[in-house]
Structure formats: C-alpha cells, structure tokens
Amino acid sequence: FESLGSATIASGTATADFSTHLAYGITPDSCRTKAIKAQIEETLRQFNGVEDVRILIEGKAENTFGD
C-alpha cells in the first residue's frame, strides 16, 4: 500500500512525500505511472492556492514521476 508521509503547501506549491511503496514496480513512462501522477496532482490542486505539485519518494524527487 502507498503511504503518505507528509504533505505541505508553500508559495503555491503542494509537496507530497510518499513511501517507496508508491514507486514499487512501475516505470517512468508507463500508463500506470502517468495515472498515479495525474491522480495525485488533481487531488492536491483542489486546495486553494496550489499552482504546482511536487511528488517526493522518501524525501527525494524521483524521476519516476517526471520531477
């Protein structure tokens, strides 16, 4: 299961930090990866003032999600 460690919003950027389970078994260009990324981004963009979204894995920007 995916585990959200933390989520913050600062200066228009929402940052969500997940455990390594989120990226387990997926590749950067897969449809599954794109769907997961889109779901996270759309969820975080629902909050007022969010213009950009960063997805982290264990505190690091992973290129799995194009960051």
Side-chain angles (χ1 to χ4, degrees):
F1 63 92
E2 294 79 34
S3 177
L4 178 63
S6 67
T8 59
I9 299 172
S11 301
T13 299
T15 302
D17 190 3
F18 291 88
S19 70
T20 56
H21 295 291
L22 181 68
Y24 180 76
I26 59 174
T27 57
D29 293 325
S30 73
C31 290
R32 182 172 180 223
T33 302
K34 292 175 185 175
I36 292 168
K37 181 179 180 182
Q39 289 173 345
I40 294 168
E41 289 178 339
E42 290 305 313
T43 298
L44 293 174
R45 288 181 195 280
Q46 293 178 21
F47 294 96
N48 289 334
V50 174
E51 298 172 10
D52 193 27
V53 173
R54 291 187 67 220
I55 301 170
L56 306 179
I57 305 294
E58 300 291 342
K60 298 178 185 172
E62 294 288 325
N63 62 7
T64 299
F65 293 97
D67 295 336

